[in-house]
């Protein structure tokens, strides 16, 4: 699947530093991954904060796809449950829209290892600021 043109400019400096690779971006589903290497805690395991960064980034990009390039999104809530650890390879994430309304959207983000085993389940809620009619 090809990425929307704006997606090439969407990842932040933090996303670049963490090695984010985007695979698919839409309002209902966004897919990406990050390497474990460089994103570990002091004991060599994937850092739980990295899970939150990946989850919020994927959900926020889906939210941005919903409101469009003239809109604005803000992450307002994140909850992450860590199921298992990982020491190498990639952490793959899929953000799936659970609810998208006028001003709020919530995405479930499932993070897994290369074998497809679930590492983390996150829920991210974003505020959606759609462009006003005079802005379009």
């Amino acid at each position: 699947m090809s990425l929307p043109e704006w997606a090439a400019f969407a990842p932040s400096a933090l996303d670049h530093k963490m090695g984010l690779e985007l695979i698919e971006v839409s309002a209902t589903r966004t897919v990406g991954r990050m390497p474990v290497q460089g994103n570990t805690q002091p004991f060599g395991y994937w850092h739980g904060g990295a899970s939150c960064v990946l989850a919020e980034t994927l959900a926020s990009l889906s939210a941005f796809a919903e409101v469009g390039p003239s809109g604005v999104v803000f992450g307002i809530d994140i909850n992450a449950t860590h199921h298992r650890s990982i020491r190498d390879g990639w952490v793959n994430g899929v953000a799936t829209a659970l609810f998208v309304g006028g001003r709020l959207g919530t995405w479930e983000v499932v993070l897994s290892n290369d074998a497809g085993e679930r590492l983390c389940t996150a829920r991210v809620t974003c505020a959606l600021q759609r462009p006003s009619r005079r802005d379009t």
Side-chain angles (χ1 to χ4, degrees), residues 41 45-46 82-87 113 117-119:
Q41 36 90 311
Y45 292 95
W46 171 258
H82 306 286
H83 306 294
R84 66 172 34 117
S85 60
I86 184 173
R87 291 185 79 123
N113 61 21
E117 298 170 313
R118 189 178 294 227
L119 304 173

Side-chain angles (χ1 to χ4, degrees), residues 37-100:
Q37 185 176 21
N39 294 313
T40 59
Q41 36 90 311
F43 308 106
Y45 292 95
W46 171 258
H47 196 292
S51 291
C52 291
V53 169
L54 180 54
E56 185 160 349
T57 297
L58 296 177
S60 294
L61 289 172
S62 274
F64 190 71
E66 171 65 26
V67 300
S70 297
V72 178
V73 300
F74 297 96
I76 60 171
D77 184 64
I78 185 167
N79 170 280
T81 301
H82 306 286
H83 306 294
R84 66 172 34 117
S85 60
I86 184 173
R87 291 185 79 123
D88 55 29
W90 290 83
V91 174
N92 306 287
V94 178
T96 305
L98 297 175
F99 169 82
V100 179

Side-chain angles (χ1 to χ4, degrees), residues 1 20-33 51-66 78-79 91-100 105-112 118 120-126:
M1 175 174 216
L20 173 68
E21 292 184 6
L22 287 177
I23 298 164
E24 176 183 336
V25 177
S26 76
T28 58
R29 184 173 190 267
T30 294
V31 180
R33 68 186 196 153
S51 291
C52 291
V53 169
L54 180 54
E56 185 160 349
T57 297
L58 296 177
S60 294
L61 289 172
S62 274
F64 190 71
E66 171 65 26
I78 185 167
N79 170 280
V91 174
N92 306 287
V94 178
T96 305
L98 297 175
F99 169 82
V100 179
T106 301
W107 285 260
E108 177 184 60
V109 185
V110 174
L111 304 183
S112 60
R118 189 178 294 227
C120 177
T121 304
R123 188 190 68 244
V124 181
T125 299
C126 294

